[in-house]
Amino acid sequence: MPVIEAAKATHTTLEVASVDRAIRFYRDVLGLRTHRNGPRSGHFVDTRGQYAAFLELRKRVPQPFLNFYARPVPDAATVDAIHARLNAERDAWELAEITDPAREDAARFGVATYGFYLRDADDNWWRIEENDGPFGPVEIPADAEPRDSLVPAGPISYVTLECRDLQRSMQFYREFLGIDAEQRAPHYFFTRGNGGVRAIVVERGDALVEQTLQNHHGITVWMDAAKIDALRAAAQARQDEFGIQRIKKAITQHGSYSFYMQDQDTNWWEIEVWDGHVDPWTRAERRIAAALVAS
């Protein structure tokens, strides 16, 4: 049995220079619903319910190419139309890089769609691609919010992560995190996050880029705070076995009780239980709605 049972990969995080700019970019360009969650933090959520937190930091670590987020659009013609509009508005959005549209080589990491890559003003990477990704086509609702975004509102179909050693990483995902891992080639594997965040994990050896705590990934369990303490104790007891580099204290914050740990690939994981089993996006939405009623 895995150390963590009945878990789900529920969220990711990103570093940004300005929460205000990030809210506008994620909403008006990438077609994601957004809100401010604090003076220096915000959330976005896609049409599948996958959410991410973004944190305003003075010093940020540029993300490697293989930490991109994929946003599918209906077809190749839409890819081309979005690419043209982004190039026309490149300066307005302070975009660092836009690649030419092309069909990706599946041998690289299992992606064979037509699309292009975008490095935003915060040095985070995105892929805009036709809706036939490595995990299969996904639903793109016709009437989803936001209505007038440059990229039509829809899901984040998957993310990518780097690892140092593929076999060791698959063992960690399966036997510690308790989430699925399916090897698709000698140098990468797929995970569906047990119905949550889907990821392609690519072996990079010593070329991988070290990650910070602010770029972590959330693993949620539907138990209680005592279970989090027990899982932290298990992480300490089996730290050498799984190559876990660092384990933080368990704390209560942003509506969760959790601890953070850094794996052998330098990726950080938040092992958490939500207060009342309500996710942070929903909790913040309820708080915002209550404030509007009170005013």
Side-chain angles (χ1 to χ4, degrees):
M1 297 295 290
V3 174
I4 304 177
E5 297 179 55
K8 183 178 180 179
T10 53
H11 73 274
T12 56
T13 58
L14 291 166
E15 299 176 355
V16 300
S18 165
V19 167
D20 289 335
R21 183 181 65 189
I23 285 173
R24 294 192 303 272
F25 176 73
Y26 296 144
R27 180 191 63 215
D28 298 342
V29 175
L30 291 176
L32 302 164
R33 288 191 294 146
T34 60
H35 61 213
R36 178 183 286 275
N37 192 45
R40 295 186 176 181
S41 64
H43 286 148
F44 67 66
V45 68
D46 73 355
T47 54
R48 291 180 63 238
Q50 178 181 325
Y51 78 95
F54 45 97
L55 310 173
E56 182 178 303
L57 299 173
R58 183 171 300 176
K59 293 184 178 181
R60 300 172 311 286
V61 177
Q63 287 299 290
F65 166 70
L66 281 171
N67 270 16
F68 69 79
Y69 287 59
R71 277 288 286 107
V73 297
D75 50 36
T78 307
V79 170
D80 288 336
I82 292 169
H83 186 266
R85 286 190 61 189
L86 274 173
N87 269 309
E89 300 180 27
R90 180 171 183 163
D91 292 342
W93 291 107
E94 303 176 66
L95 302 179
E97 187 174 349
I98 307 172
T99 68
D100 292 333
R103 186 159 298 280
E104 182 58 87
D105 179 2
R108 295 180 70 193
F109 37 76
V111 175
T113 51
Y114 181 77
F116 65 91
Y117 297 96
L118 163 68
R119 183 160 59 94
D120 66 23
D122 298 306
D123 287 319
N124 295 313
W125 283 94
W126 302 83
R127 175 168 172 79
I128 312 301
E129 66 179 10
E130 62 185 345
N131 188 21
D132 190 21
F135 292 89
V138 292
E139 181 184 3
I140 303 177
D143 58 349
E145 296 286 349
R147 296 291 178 87
D148 300 319
S149 55
L150 197 155
V151 179
I156 294 169
S157 49
Y158 59 93
V159 301
T160 54
L161 283 170
E162 298 183 329
C163 74
R164 194 182 307 276
D165 179 278
L166 198 75
Q167 296 303 320
R168 288 273 289 162
S169 293
M170 283 197 298
Q171 179 189 18
F172 172 73
Y173 279 64
R174 290 168 174 164
E175 298 179 19
F176 191 95
L177 297 180
I179 59 176
D180 55 293
E182 177 188 355
Q183 186 169 353
R184 293 292 189 92
H187 61 292
Y188 64 84
F189 68 86
F190 285 9
T191 173
R192 296 179 182 270
N194 293 354
V197 179
R198 294 178 287 199
I200 302 173
V201 183
V202 186
E203 184 177 78
R204 296 282 289 150
D206 292 337
L208 64 77
V209 176
E210 184 168 356
Q211 293 297 295
T212 66
L213 180 64
Q214 288 75 22
N215 278 298
H216 66 262
H217 302 261
I219 300 293
T220 303
V221 296
W222 281 262
M223 298 182 188
D224 56 20
K227 183 62 176 180
I228 296 300
D229 291 332
L231 291 174
R232 183 176 181 274
Q236 291 176 312
R238 303 181 69 174
Q239 188 166 357
D240 292 340
E241 177 185 352
F242 288 103
I244 298 169
Q245 297 189 38
R246 299 171 66 187
I247 303 170
K248 298 282 191 177
K249 293 180 179 179
I251 57 174
T252 299
Q253 61 175 349
H254 53 243
S256 301
Y257 183 65
S258 66
F259 71 93
Y260 296 94
M261 64 180 190
Q262 188 180 41
D263 68 17
Q264 60 206 332
D265 303 315
T266 79
N267 293 314
W268 284 91
W269 301 88
E270 181 182 19
I271 314 302
E272 65 177 357
V273 59
W274 294 329
D275 292 350
H277 302 308
V278 178
D279 68 87
W281 169 270
T282 301
R283 185 177 295 108
E285 287 286 280
R286 291 175 180 175
R287 185 172 63 249
I288 293 168
L292 289 173
V293 171
S295 63

